[in-house]
């Protein structure tokens, strides 16, 4: 949370004395609010798409109406379900997928501000580029053979640093082929290189060594290994850094900053264990550590901040265990125990996006035997807001004074502060953790002390505006010298004349 410095000054024109009068206060700007939400889960799922064994879900606002749409593959078609108000979906629109693809990535490949698709046809050893029309329909522009063999995974990114989206495809032979985007929807064959393993299961990208160039990461079905491939920034990946992992190979990879150090880290599942690997300062992966265990953790891993507290959370599907689970990130790299949602039909893959335009991340999950794509809208809510701010208070020396704040939200926790330091319920303070702080008695030593309050719940915090306490020894002693005399009159007139 941001810290704010507040300065209070009172410019009197009277040269002899400067009175610190109760009216001489300048309040600083409002406190900073860190928006957040409290854990309440997801609404009951609705069906976005009904199709045979749907695959590769994506949530994007394709038609740019402020509502997320759902895209998925089934058979030889791309299914597009337009999101509607109220969390429902229009009947799907179908477009040719350019073959029988099993994976898909989205990007603006033209670029014209409209979402395009690239699909991966495993049996046909090819990828197809589909141009988006902006209304949910797609037109096949071109199909490219994969020189490395039958493709197993696909990812997109600017691999040669020219500002245009490229494609990377892994193949069953273990090689990876790069397709360089031309910026008009077409691609040309780039480098193809061997990984030293066969049958890659997953492929993703990120700048792991912070050199401004995208790197690739792959996992393999036959080798318990994560392979980091360093990008040279020209579409080639000359340096391979393998990391051995315990158990069998992971079937899903997710990239995100788990420990808030500015470097992307890795989460994956293997042998029923959800594991993480942190990136060190040299850009390599450190030791694998266990995040959670259990057969319910299978595949379809995604990293997203569900509750808006600035920490990444994990969403994963349970496959034949018929559930979707989420794990909330806490301090450091820790996560709370998984919360599982029952979902029949073999949920396999998960997409993240805002379906209803409320700014919260929602889910779309493919159920391969249930022949549906199911949509979950987020119910994560519980933000805290301040409805009335504490105000400057004046009191006589030895009397009582109080400050009050009004707030909305669930489970509020109050922490009053004096001059930026947390208060406790010790004399002369009471109510340090309530909506009203009482100071009894006040003293001249506390004149012009600054008070504010942090209102929070487990996921959110809001800081109030500062308010000052003005303490006087008696009603007429404006210059606080212990006497009521002509000088108090002069200081009062001086302050009054400048509106202070």
């Amino acid at each position: 949370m941001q810290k704010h410095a507040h300065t209070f000054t009172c410019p009197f024109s009277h040269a002899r004395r400067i009175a610190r009068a109760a009216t001489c206060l300048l309040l600083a700007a409002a406190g900073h609010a860190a928006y957040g939400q409290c854990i309440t889960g997801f609404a009951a799922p609705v069906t976005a798409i009904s199709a045979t064994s749907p695959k590769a879900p994506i949530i994007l606002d394709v038609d740019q109406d402020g509502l997320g749409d759902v895209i998925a593959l089934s058979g030889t078609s791309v299914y597009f379900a337009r999101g509607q108000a109220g969390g429902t979906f229009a009947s799907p629109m179908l477009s040719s997928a350019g073959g029988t693809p099993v994976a898909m990535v989205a990007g603006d490949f033209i670029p014209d501000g409209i979402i395009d698709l690239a699909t991966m046809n495993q049996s046909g050893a090819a990828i197809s580029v589909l141009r988006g029309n902006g209304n949910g329909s797609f037109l096949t522009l071109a199909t490219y053979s994969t020189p490395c063999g039958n493709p197993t995974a696909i990812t997109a990114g600017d691999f040669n640093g020219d500002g245009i989206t490229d494609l990377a495809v892994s193949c069953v032979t273990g090689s990876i082929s790069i397709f360089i985007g031309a910026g008009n929807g077409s691609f040309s064959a780039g480098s193809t290189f061997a990984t030293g393993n066969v049958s890659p299961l997953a492929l993703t990208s990120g700048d792991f060594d912070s050199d401004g160039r995208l790197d690739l990461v792959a996992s393999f079905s036959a080798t318990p290994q994560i392979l980091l491939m360093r990008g040279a920034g020209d579409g080639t990946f000359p340096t391979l850094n393998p990391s051995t992992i315990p158990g069998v190979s992971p079937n899903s990879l997710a990239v995100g900053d788990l420990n808030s150090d500015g470097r992307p880290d890795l989460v994956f599942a293997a042998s029923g264990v959800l594991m993480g690997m942190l990136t060190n300062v040299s850009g390599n992966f450190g030791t694998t550590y266990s995040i959670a265990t259990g057969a319910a953790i299978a595949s379809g891993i995604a990293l997203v901040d569900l509750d808006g507290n600035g920490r990444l959370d994990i969403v994963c599907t349970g496959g034949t265990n018929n559930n979707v689970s989420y794990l909330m990130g806490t301090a450091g790299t820790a996560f709370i125990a998984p919360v599982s949602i029952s979902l029949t039909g073999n949920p396999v893959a998960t997409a993240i996006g805002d379906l209803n335009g409320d700014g919260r991340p929602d889910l779309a999950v493919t159920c391969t035997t249930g022949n549906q794509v199911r949509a979950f809208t987020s119910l994560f809510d519980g933000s805290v807001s301040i409805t009335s701010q504490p105000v400057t208070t004046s009191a006589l020396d030895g009397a009582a004074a109080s400050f009050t704040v009004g707030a909305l939200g669930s489970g509020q926790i109050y922490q009053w502060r004096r001059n930026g330091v947390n208060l406790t319920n010790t004399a002369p303070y009471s109510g340090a953790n309530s909506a009203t702080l009482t100071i009894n008695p006040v003293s001249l030593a506390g004149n012009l002390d600054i008070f504010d309050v942090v209102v929070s719940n487990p996921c959110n915090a809001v800081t109030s505006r500062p308010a000052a306490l003005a303490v006087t020894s008696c009603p007429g002693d404006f210059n606080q010298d212990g006497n009521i005399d002509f000088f108090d009159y002069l200081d009062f007139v001086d302050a009054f004349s400048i509106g202070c």
Side-chain angles (χ1 to χ4, degrees):
M1 185 177 298
Q2 286 183 308
K3 296 181 179 178
H4 298 270
H6 306 289
T7 303
F8 297 81
T9 61
C10 181
F12 285 110
S13 60
H14 195 277
R16 284 185 304 109
R17 301 181 186 228
I18 298 178
R20 298 193 300 173
T23 54
C24 185
L25 299 171
L26 176 65
L27 290 182
H32 172 70
Y35 177 73
Q37 299 162 326
C38 281
I39 301 171
T40 55
F42 296 89
V46 300
T47 299
I49 294 172
S50 293
T52 303
S53 299
K55 304 174 181 67
I58 294 174
I59 298 176
L60 286 170
D61 184 8
V62 174
D63 55 3
Q64 301 180 20
D65 64 352
L67 300 174
D69 310 308
V70 176
I71 310 170
L73 297 173
S74 176
T76 60
S77 298
V78 173
Y79 280 66
F80 168 82
R82 187 187 312 279
Q84 301 178 139
T88 61
F89 296 87
S91 297
M93 182 185 302
L94 276 63
S95 301
S96 172
T100 309
V102 295
M104 173 173 57
V105 292
D108 188 3
F109 303 136
I110 303 300
D112 55 2
I114 298 174
I115 298 299
D116 309 306
L117 303 174
T119 61
M120 185 189 77
N121 187 343
Q122 196 169 49
S123 60
I127 57 174
S128 296
V129 178
L130 284 63
R131 177 173 182 164
N133 295 316
N135 62 355
S137 65
F138 296 88
L139 175 67
T140 302
L141 284 180
T143 297
Y144 303 93
S145 297
T146 52
C148 60
N150 288 346
T152 58
I154 185 171
T155 190
D158 181 12
F159 300 125
N160 62 350
D162 63 355
I164 300 171
T165 302
D166 310 307
L167 301 173
V169 179
S170 61
C171 295
V172 69
T173 59
S175 296
I176 293 178
S177 292
I178 307 298
F179 292 82
I180 302 299
N184 59 2
S186 66
F187 292 82
S188 60
S191 62
T192 294
F193 58 96
T195 63
N197 296 299
V198 295
S199 300
L201 281 175
L203 181 67
T204 189
S205 64
D207 183 9
F208 295 96
D209 52 2
S210 303
D211 63 354
R213 305 163 182 168
L214 281 181
D215 311 307
L216 293 173
V217 177
S219 64
F220 304 87
S221 63
T223 308
Q225 184 183 94
I226 296 289
L227 181 63
L228 172 61
M229 298 155 275
R230 297 213 183 278
D234 58 358
T236 65
F237 298 82
T239 304
L240 308 182
N241 293 337
S243 297
T244 300
I245 61 172
V248 299
S249 297
N251 52 12
S252 182
L253 300 174
V255 174
D257 186 3
L258 298 178
N259 56 353
S260 302
D261 64 354
R263 293 187 289 268
D265 307 305
L266 201 63
V267 173
F268 55 91
S271 300
V273 180
L274 191 64
M275 291 183 281
M277 296 177 73
L278 300 181
T279 305
N280 57 32
V281 292
S282 61
N284 293 314
F285 293 128
T287 304
T288 300
Y289 71 97
S290 175
I291 295 174
T293 60
I297 300 168
S299 62
I301 301 172
L303 288 172
V304 60
D305 184 5
L306 290 172
D307 55 1
N309 66 355
R311 304 185 186 102
L312 286 178
D313 311 307
I314 301 173
V315 178
C316 50
T317 53
T320 55
N321 294 290
N322 291 319
N323 58 46
V324 176
S325 300
Y326 58 90
L327 300 83
M328 309 307 297
T330 59
T333 59
F335 294 83
I336 67 171
V339 177
S340 294
I341 305 168
S342 178
L343 184 65
T344 59
N346 192 33
V348 173
T350 304
I352 306 291
D354 184 6
L355 291 171
N356 54 2
D358 65 356
R360 303 169 189 166
D362 306 311
L363 310 179
V365 180
T366 54
C367 299
T368 55
T369 60
N371 299 323
Q372 291 179 329
V373 180
R374 303 281 274 168
F376 296 79
T377 54
S378 173
L379 294 179
F380 287 72
D381 197 4
S383 57
V384 175
S385 62
I386 291 178
T387 57
S388 62
Q389 300 283 352
V391 297
T392 293
T393 299
S394 60
L396 291 175
D397 183 21
S402 63
F403 296 93
T404 299
V405 68
L408 289 177
S410 58
Q412 295 104 315
I413 301 169
Y414 299 88
Q415 179 58 66
W416 285 94
R417 305 187 301 184
R418 169 181 171 267
N419 299 329
V421 178
N422 289 347
L423 293 173
T424 59
N425 291 311
T426 55
Y429 303 105
S430 61
N433 305 114
S434 68
T436 298
L437 173 71
T438 300
I439 309 164
N440 189 16
V442 301
S443 67
L444 288 173
N447 185 41
L448 293 186
D449 279 347
I450 306 303
F451 294 84
D452 63 7
V453 59
V454 178
V455 186
S456 64
N457 61 22
C459 309
N460 180 43
V462 184
T463 304
S464 74
R465 295 192 185 106
L469 173 65
V471 183
T472 58
S473 57
C474 70
D477 187 10
F478 277 87
N479 59 7
Q480 299 178 22
D481 63 357
N483 300 307
I484 300 176
D485 50 28
F486 181 67
F487 295 121
D488 295 302
Y489 169 74
L490 291 177
D491 287 336
F492 169 77
V493 172
D494 219 9
F496 185 80
S497 66
I498 65 173
C500 185

